[in-house]
Amino acid sequence: MIRLENISKAYRTRTGRHWVFKDVGFTIRRGEKIGILGRNGAGKSTLVRLIGGIEQPTSGRIVGDMSISWPLAFSGAFQHSLTGLDNLKFICRIYDKDPEEAAVAVEEFAELGRYMKEPIKTYSAGMRARLGFGISLAVDFDCFLIDEIVAVGDKRFQEKCYDELFVKRKDRAMIIVSHNDNFVRQRCDRAAVLARGTLTEFEDMDEAYAFYQANERG
Amino acid sequence: MDEGRQEVPRTSFMQSLAIQRRVIHALIMREVITRFGRHNIGFLWLFVEPMIFTVGVTLIWGALKSVHGSNLTIAAFAVTGYSSVLVWRNMPSRLVDSIEPNLSLMYHRNVRIFDIFAGRLLLEGVSVATSFLVLTIIFAAVGWLSLPEDPFKVVVGWLMLAWWGSGLGMFVGALSHRSELIDKFWHPMQYLLFPLSGSAFLVDALPPEFRDWVLILPMVHGVECVRDGFFGSEFVAHYDLGYMATINLIFTLLALVEIRRASRNLVPA
């Protein structure tokens, strides 16, 4: 279970505090899949960063007992002068995973071949994303954070991603943040909408969608 | 307002300790590969670099002061002095502006600013300590200096200096995230502090009225203690480890407060 309690986040700007949202709260249990809909600028990514522990909330707290992934397919946490394999080893050390095992899994999944031993700065954006996705799957978490739809690589690779996430890991919790209601409708048990500076939860998908439509302007 | 908290997942103290150890180890390995790569002597540069500095300074000081007396003390004086400078100067230098380039690490929940700092401090400490130890043994072997009279005092004095370097380093390191002026000021500061730091003089050789002023600087006490352990029978040492510990403690607390503050305001790209 992970519970957000009265989470608010403000950023300092030249013209004073800017509140992204206030009093956001929800609970996600093991295996549950929650979709969070929001327009551009509604604060989706900020919410993902708070849940992922990348940034700290201005007030409120997040409690729970599940391990949470970093936003999936995110590749910014790499050291670009190091090789893919060195980065993989680093992340395995942090999360207490066996690097050898993870290396085999990632090599098979990301299909980078000999590029695993090349510095990441020589990778294309697609290769980086594949490596990032592969490593997050290898580390494995109780709850996966997915920022926007996983749009990595070609169609075949995307199918592989869906298979890994939604078939092989269907017992995991997932928080999927998106502006695409179709995707959320297909994949999630329930949805919440980030609009008007706070989060509103819905049990019914259609209600969530209607509310989302009614709040065009974040 | 500042009550925002992140507590996922809850861990016991021992678990936290294990995680921290793992993270710091991973950060050190990453730092070593990034800084030294796998070329030529690789990570051995970690020890060789400070050794080159110290040997250079020893030779210069030795040449300049050889007219004054025995070479034996000059080498001991230079090695103790310069190894002390390297600790309190390198530690902060490594930490100033170290948060920004490592921001992306914050995507991993277990990695904290404190871990990044601790990893770099450990690496720097081990590097300077090894250089100090190896040079002492080499210089003693070739007869430039005699081994320390009281090794325990040397270790205590050096650890106090390392503590001072860590406290000051974490403080300016965290502060540098708040303002880029810190980076601008740290460089001139370290140069201005060097001549006053007790590395290039014995406190006893100063006029008495000047001694009290110089002894305000905590690192002077540390150097004097190291030298007391090395060749204490040859001079009168002036130091107060209680005073130094107090200053160290104050800076460590300030550093922890500033790290906490910086952690709250992190915005990774």
Side-chain angles (χ1 to χ4, degrees):
Chain A
M1 179 274 295
I2 296 164
R3 192 171 63 241
L4 278 68
E5 296 174 353
N6 304 315
I7 295 290
S8 302
K9 180 69 181 176
Y11 288 108
R12 243 168 293 186
T13 63
R14 281 166 211 263
T15 50
R17 269 172 194 263
H18 167 68
W19 288 93
V20 183
F21 41 69
K22 285 182 183 177
D23 293 324
V24 167
F26 73 88
T27 304
I28 178 167
R29 280 169 288 273
R30 264 174 211 279
E32 247 188 325
K33 286 156 194 66
I34 297 184
I36 295 176
L37 288 163
R39 299 282 168 205
N40 279 339
K44 297 192 298 286
S45 296
T46 304
L47 186 59
V48 163
R49 283 153 166 274
L50 294 180
I51 300 172
I54 299 153
E55 288 182 42
Q56 304 297 311
T58 309
S59 70
R61 55 182 204 144
I62 301 174
V63 292
D65 57 7
M66 296 198 282
S67 64
I68 311 175
S69 76
W70 62 82
L72 221 59
F74 174 78
S75 54
F78 292 142
Q79 175 90 12
H80 286 214
S81 59
L82 295 183
T83 68
L85 201 57
D86 281 335
N87 275 286
L88 167 80
K89 282 186 192 161
F90 171 71
I91 291 173
C92 283
R93 282 191 194 108
I94 288 185
Y95 290 98
D96 203 15
K97 291 283 160 186
D98 179 31
E100 309 292 324
E101 243 174 72
V104 174
V106 171
E107 265 168 56
E108 191 194 298
F109 179 81
E111 298 175 12
L112 289 167
R114 63 186 177 80
Y115 265 88
M116 278 302 278
K117 288 184 177 146
E118 295 294 325
I120 296 219
K121 60 187 170 203
T122 64
Y123 287 23
S124 69
M127 290 162 80
R128 261 174 227 175
R130 259 148 59 199
L131 180 69
F133 198 93
I135 295 179
S136 41
L137 291 178
V139 173
D140 218 348
F141 296 92
D142 299 329
C143 176
F144 283 95
L145 273 182
I146 303 167
D147 194 351
E148 288 302 336
I149 307 160
V150 186
V152 175
D154 54 19
K155 191 153 184 293
R156 191 181 65 89
F157 189 79
Q158 277 185 22
E159 278 164 9
K160 223 160 111 177
C161 291
Y162 286 121
D163 183 51
E164 288 286 340
L165 264 184
F166 297 106
V167 181
K168 290 188 187 156
R169 286 172 182 73
K170 63 169 184 277
D171 57 328
R172 308 304 151 77
M174 285 178 203
I175 299 174
I176 300 170
V177 167
S178 180
H179 56 222
N180 183 326
D181 59 286
N182 251 333
F183 184 75
V184 168
R185 210 185 275 256
Q186 275 172 25
R187 302 288 173 189
C188 299
D189 307 321
R190 55 197 174 91
V193 179
L194 200 53
R196 297 180 186 168
T198 192
L199 187 78
T200 317
E201 276 192 276
F202 295 91
E203 287 303 322
D204 183 68
M205 282 288 176
D206 292 322
E207 275 177 48
Y209 183 61
F211 184 79
Y212 178 50
Q213 287 292 310
N215 286 280
E216 281 290 336
R217 305 287 313 157
Chain B
M1 196 55 82
D2 279 335
E3 53 182 327
R5 271 189 289 165
Q6 260 285 351
E7 303 180 13
V8 193
R10 267 173 205 280
T11 49
S12 74
F13 177 71
M14 288 313 284
Q15 278 172 305
S16 304
L17 213 64
I19 293 174
Q20 190 138 42
R21 240 185 54 117
R22 228 166 51 216
V23 169
I24 292 173
H25 171 244
L27 286 167
I28 290 177
M29 298 298 284
R30 172 178 177 271
E31 182 88 3
V32 167
I33 303 176
T34 312
R35 258 171 74 188
F36 306 104
R38 298 193 168 91
H39 318 293
N40 55 63
I41 62 168
F43 83 101
L44 282 179
W45 277 117
L46 191 61
F47 314 114
V48 174
E49 211 179 313
M51 278 164 71
I52 294 174
F53 262 109
T54 316
V55 169
V57 168
T58 308
L59 292 177
I60 292 169
W61 287 3
L64 292 177
K65 296 190 182 172
S66 53
V67 281
H68 296 301
S70 89
N71 253 334
L72 217 89
T73 330
I74 292 291
F77 180 76
V79 171
T80 51
Y82 213 69
S83 295
S84 304
V85 174
L86 287 179
V87 191
W88 68 257
R89 202 188 62 188
N90 284 14
M91 284 182 160
S93 297
R94 273 270 156 246
L95 297 195
V96 166
D97 279 345
S98 64
I99 298 179
E100 195 69 31
N102 282 312
L103 269 186
S104 62
L105 289 178
M106 297 299 148
Y107 273 87
H108 305 294
R109 167 187 306 280
N110 289 336
V111 183
R112 309 259 169 208
I113 292 181
F114 181 81
D115 303 317
I116 294 174
F117 283 2
R120 289 191 168 202
L121 288 175
L122 268 172
L123 208 56
E124 214 51 49
V126 168
S127 139
V128 180
T130 309
S131 139
F132 187 18
L133 183 72
V134 170
L135 284 181
T136 302
I137 293 171
I138 293 177
F139 285 1
V142 298
W144 285 10
L145 53 75
S146 343
L147 287 173
E149 295 167 5
D150 185 349
F152 181 70
K153 266 190 197 164
V154 177
V155 172
V156 169
W158 194 87
L159 285 178
M160 289 297 283
L161 282 166
W163 181 14
W164 162 244
S166 306
L168 177 69
M170 291 194 297
F171 182 57
V172 294
L175 216 54
S176 70
H177 187 63
R178 204 194 303 195
S179 161
E180 53 216 31
L181 285 177
I182 299 299
D183 181 46
K184 305 272 186 294
F185 276 106
W186 170 246
H187 290 283
M189 272 294 280
Q190 64 177 35
Y191 280 98
L192 295 174
L193 281 174
F194 172 63
L196 296 172
S197 68
S199 302
F201 60 82
L202 294 173
V203 174
D204 202 52
L206 298 175
E209 62 273 23
F210 190 49
R211 270 181 217 158
D212 292 341
W213 286 103
V214 144
L215 281 169
I216 291 174
L217 292 173
M219 52 276 203
V220 180
H221 298 262
V223 191
E224 287 282 305
C225 180
V226 168
R227 285 184 172 150
D228 190 23
F230 239 87
F231 45 88
S233 61
E234 293 176 44
F235 78 113
V236 182
H238 299 265
Y239 61 92
D240 176 355
L241 292 184
Y243 168 78
M244 188 177 179
T246 310
I247 302 289
N248 284 357
L249 195 64
I250 291 171
F251 268 81
T252 307
L253 292 177
L254 286 175
L256 293 179
V257 170
E258 200 55 41
I259 288 177
R260 207 178 135 85
R261 205 193 121 91
S263 309
R264 296 200 176 288
N265 296 313
L266 285 185
V267 186

